Amino acid sequence: MKKAIVKLLMAPAIRAMYDRQGGVKHLTLTTALEKIDRLFSCDRILREAHQDFTVVYYTQSEWGYRLIHSPEGAIHMALNVDGMFHPDGYYAHARLVAQQIEAIGANHVLEIGCGKGFNTYFLATRYPTVTFTGIDLTPLHIRSASRQAAHCQNVVFRIRDFNYLDVPDQSVDLVFGVECLCHSRQPKQSLAELFRILRPGGRLIVFDGYRRAPLDRYTLPMQTATVLTEVSMAVQDGFVERDRWDELARSIGFLIHTCDDLTTAIQPTINRLQAISSLFFQMPGRARILAFLLPKYLVRNAIAGLLMPFVFTSDPTVGSLGYYQWILQRPDQ
């Protein structure tokens, strides 16, 4: 009965979601924050900053990701450089990683925070002579990834913490992470551990969100929207500032090979998610019932969905967050 009620209440969003390309016209940040506050209480959400619920968040959000985000199992942003959302954009990260595999002749590739194995499985089927390992903290993810790749002889998935890897020094050619290092509570330790396992000349590829500047440089509504977005995405300590990330990487010994701003490329995805989330907030009565029936962290994805187009912008004077691809390299010597 409970599932039937949820499906009935979700039906308008499910029917409309695949046609949603743009964001919500005439929605202002002030109005979005008011909608969120009425349903969730902004203060209550903000009090959960710095709490660690990453595994619970991904476990509770599983069917929402699959139903609304990607039936194929992607749990990251699509990159659509033409300005229109298309699911093929979910494969863009793996294709960019493939370029680096070929550039350095990688034989052993590790994906950290692999989720349900979407990227690693894609790459493993295309590079059968390369050994791939995917690690993640969420048991549900690893079970799903292992089932999908059961027939692949060159890939294995394990439950592991990327801060404490049981991997020998200088034994991996390439490491990549898609929207996972943002969950690290010890970014310097995480980078140091990945530096340790990379061979000389090996590369670390990171796709993630970063704060463009200290939050106190922005208006109070933008500060509130930023932290609400972070908490509702289980980024418990907030996205790392871009300049600080650069400094941490260099202090450990990494060379910055490239740093590309991909914020424009994720805009179609976040505009689509905002349009879908707006359907949730349009009928407060229905939203309250869903918030009561559904897992807490699954429902709170609607908060990030509504706010992301305001905070993730290419203009640092307007939005506080950017989405970047970093390629870091361990020196040859």
Side-chain angles (χ1 to χ4, degrees), residues 86-146:
H86 191 280
D88 185 68
Y90 291 126
Y91 294 95
H93 303 76
R95 291 179 179 130
L96 290 168
V97 172
Q99 293 176 9
Q100 298 305 311
I101 290 174
E102 295 177 5
I104 66 172
N107 293 310
H108 184 189
V109 176
L110 169 68
E111 181 182 10
I112 58 172
C114 66
K116 292 177 282 186
F118 182 90
N119 295 301
T120 288
Y121 177 71
F122 176 86
L123 291 166
T125 58
R126 284 153 180 78
Y127 295 93
T129 62
V130 177
T131 300
F132 290 88
T133 303
I135 66 165
D136 198 281
L137 279 176
T138 305
L140 178 67
H141 287 173
I142 296 301
R143 289 197 298 271
S144 177
S146 298

Side-chain angles (χ1 to χ4, degrees), residues 21 78-80 82-91 268-269 272:
Q21 289 285 346
L79 301 179
N80 298 114
D82 62 356
M84 294 293 292
F85 173 79
H86 191 280
D88 185 68
Y90 291 126
Y91 294 95
T269 300
R272 173 177 175 270

Side-chain angles (χ1 to χ4, degrees), residues 2 6 10 40 53 56-69 231-234 277 280 290-291 293-305:
K2 183 176 177 179
V6 169
M10 290 286 288
F40 292 102
F53 48 85
V56 177
Y57 164 79
Y58 280 110
T59 302
Q60 290 189 1
S61 298
E62 158 60 16
W63 74 265
Y65 269 109
R66 190 172 292 278
L67 178 66
I68 292 177
H69 191 65
V231 173
S232 62
M233 297 170 70
S277 295
F280 176 80
L290 285 170
L293 292 174
L294 296 175
K296 177 172 71 172
Y297 298 116
L298 168 62
V299 175
R300 288 187 183 179
N301 280 293
I303 297 173

Side-chain angles (χ1 to χ4, degrees), residues 281-326:
F281 286 97
Q282 276 178 8
M283 298 180 65
R286 180 181 62 188
R288 288 189 179 90
I289 295 173
L290 285 170
F292 174 76
L293 292 174
L294 296 175
K296 177 172 71 172
Y297 298 116
L298 168 62
V299 175
R300 288 187 183 179
N301 280 293
I303 297 173
L306 201 65
L307 293 176
M308 279 192 290
F310 295 108
V311 296
F312 277 99
T313 67
S314 297
D315 186 348
T317 65
V318 176
S320 58
L321 302 177
Y323 189 90
Y324 295 87
Q325 176 195 12
W326 295 79

Side-chain angles (χ1 to χ4, degrees), residues 150-162:
H151 64 285
C152 290
Q153 301 300 310
N154 62 324
V155 60
V156 63
F157 292 98
R158 296 191 175 98
I159 299 174
R160 295 289 188 276
D161 184 338
F162 52 60

